[in-house]
Amino acid sequence: MTGGSLVDAAQESPDLGADRPPGRRAPDLVRLLLAPERLYIAALGLTGLAAVVSVTLPAAERGELSANMVSATLGAAVGGLSLDTFLLSRPAGWIFSRGRTWILGILGISILLSGVAAALLTTAAGIGSHLIGVGSAAGLTVFNTVSSIALRQGRFRLVYAMRAVSGAVLVGGYVALYAAGHLDGGLWSEVWLAVQWLSALAVCGLVLGLVRRVGAPPAPTATRSDYRADMLAVGSLHIGIFAQMMTLRFNQILVARFVGAGPLGVYALAVAALEFAQAGAVVAAQRILADRKGSDGRDPTRAVVKAALPIAVAAVVGLAVLGFLQPEYRHAWILGLVLLPGSLATAAGKSWSALLLKRRGEKATTVVAIITLVVAIPAYFGIIPWAGAIGAAVASSLAYAVHAFASRASLRRAQPPDHGTV
């Protein structure tokens, strides 16, 4: 990706780093509605609406759709080398110094690894399509990595708006399939695959268009030792994020394997609903990582958790209503209630983990993630085969609490001291 010139020039030029031209101020109401947090919540809301529409599928068919989605998303997280987070955490001038060949090279490798990981996870789940899993994982990796280039130079509104548009297209596709009477989880998965690539191509077009405004990038200045250091840093960071994503998503693979498609469809619905509560934490974490002003910023975790609580409660209530309307999903609200404490812990953990990365580096976040994984995986294998989806929810909440607690404990050792924390 030729995003090096864009990213680094944005550090010099406010025009490129802003979402609207200088001297033109949108009305207060418009700016309020288009705040990045609200756009992200809108995107997540549309994704949630797509999940609601998917409840019109029989539980087993929704389970097939969920299996494809989790294999792809976890595959992208495992094989994608965490390049999105890595790029966000690099200092100003980093991409300029590396050059487009290096960036394109590591992106290509991450796409290949994402596909391999998705294929293995689909096999492990025993449910879903290898073609859809691999293709979607590749599209997600492209979108996440290229989006990080735009986020580095402040294009939060555009990136989140693209997410929202993609969510709207996905909802439209699902509604069209339902109206046509196509209640096939595999066919709905194909629509989801198409939307992932639509999003990936759109964000690539955005970044390439902005790059043209910057002009030709300078020659790379990095040395071999710099590239070796990059590889070590990617590996160190990715080990931690790999462990974190396995904690977050691998339980669904095991539900598919040991419990089946129907229970997975219900459990995945509850997980998706509770993820609404984490929207503010995701935005806060990305802002922390994209901040170039140092590592001593204010801890936003208290506000993040306060904002997450009513959303999480509303999600559980929504699941109860859906269960009343669609009896196959009548147990979803119970799963959501069990997941609620873990969802709040995840919201806090995302914020603390981003602060920890900025203040103490990749090694500290990696240690926390590995500690969490060491707790999570035995819990998943020990509980899910005999307790099913409810066991997955209990084990997940336990693991998320461990991650938040370990992140907070490690952050207390960071310098400078944090301000305004929970």
Side-chain angles (χ1 to χ4, degrees):
M1 183 64 59
T2 57
S5 55
L6 169 66
V7 171
D8 297 315
Q11 310 300 330
E12 306 293 335
S13 171
D15 289 2
L16 290 177
D19 283 318
R20 58 183 182 275
R24 293 179 58 193
R25 298 184 61 83
D28 290 343
L29 179 60
V30 174
R31 287 190 287 115
L32 180 65
L33 293 174
L34 295 181
E37 291 83 356
R38 285 175 173 78
L39 285 172
Y40 188 88
I41 290 174
L44 197 59
L46 286 164
T47 302
L49 180 58
V52 171
V53 174
S54 71
V55 174
T56 58
L57 289 171
E61 294 297 331
R62 192 183 189 283
E64 181 182 358
L65 172 63
S66 299
N68 283 323
M69 293 172 69
V70 72
S71 294
T73 53
L74 186 54
V78 170
L81 301 178
S82 306
L83 290 184
D84 51 347
T85 304
F86 177 75
L87 289 174
L88 281 172
S89 65
R90 294 305 92 187
W94 182 87
I95 295 183
F96 250 157
S97 68
R98 268 52 177 182
R100 69 182 65 182
T101 301
W102 177 248
I103 302 301
L104 286 172
I106 58 177
L107 175 59
I109 292 171
S110 69
I111 293 171
L112 177 62
L113 292 176
S114 295
V116 171
L120 293 174
L121 289 165
T122 302
T123 300
I127 301 172
S129 163
H130 286 82
L131 179 61
I132 291 173
V134 170
S136 299
L140 284 165
T141 299
V142 172
F143 179 84
N144 291 338
T145 304
V146 178
S147 291
S148 67
I149 295 175
L151 291 174
R152 272 181 64 102
Q153 53 93 43
R155 293 278 174 170
F156 288 90
R157 286 186 176 88
L158 283 176
V159 171
Y160 295 156
M162 283 187 175
R163 287 182 181 271
V165 170
S166 298
V169 172
L170 183 62
V171 171
Y174 285 175
V175 169
L177 288 175
Y178 175 76
H182 298 303
L183 302 182
D184 180 350
L187 187 58
W188 287 46
S189 297
E190 291 175 8
V191 171
W192 187 73
L193 165 64
V195 170
Q196 305 318 305
W197 273 104
L198 177 65
S199 303
L201 295 175
V203 77
C204 285
L206 166 68
V207 171
L208 288 173
L210 293 170
V211 166
R212 293 192 186 99
R213 294 172 54 189
V214 176
T221 58
T223 64
R224 289 186 178 181
S225 62
D226 292 328
Y227 292 124
R228 285 195 297 268
D230 289 343
M231 294 174 66
L232 290 173
V234 167
S236 177
L237 176 64
H238 184 55
I239 289 172
I241 294 181
F242 163 81
Q244 185 176 356
M245 291 305 300
M246 288 291 288
T247 299
L248 290 171
R249 293 283 182 253
F250 191 65
N251 54 0
Q252 294 187 46
I253 298 292
L254 295 183
V255 170
R257 166 61 67 180
F258 291 112
V259 192
L264 173 63
V266 179
Y267 179 68
L269 176 65
V271 171
L274 268 295
E275 285 180 348
F276 278 106
Q278 301 165 26
V282 172
V283 175
Q286 290 178 334
R287 285 191 177 280
I288 290 167
L289 293 176
D291 184 9
R292 303 286 169 248
K293 296 180 181 179
S295 60
D296 58 347
R298 183 179 179 85
D299 183 350
T301 307
R302 182 186 296 274
V304 165
V305 174
K306 283 184 176 180
L309 178 58
I311 299 174
V313 172
V316 174
V317 173
L319 289 171
V321 173
L322 283 174
F324 177 77
L325 297 174
Q326 194 81 343
E328 269 195 291
Y329 297 92
R330 63 186 178 276
H331 295 137
W333 77 271
I334 300 174
L335 296 171
L337 191 62
V338 177
L339 286 166
L340 191 150
S343 180
L344 298 179
T346 300
K350 286 180 183 294
S351 177
W352 284 330
S353 184
L355 284 169
L356 186 62
L357 177 60
K358 287 296 289 286
R359 295 181 183 180
R360 299 191 60 197
E362 291 92 351
K363 184 177 180 180
T365 55
T366 297
V367 170
V368 168
I370 291 175
I371 290 172
T372 307
L373 187 65
V374 167
V375 173
I377 295 300
Y380 293 163
F381 276 101
I383 298 176
I384 292 174
W386 66 269
I390 193 70
V394 171
S396 297
S397 282
L398 170 65
Y400 304 158
V402 168
H403 180 264
F405 176 80
S407 296
R408 185 69 184 93
S410 185
L411 189 59
R412 285 184 180 276
R413 300 170 53 194
Q415 295 295 332
D418 54 318
H419 303 284
T421 57
V422 175

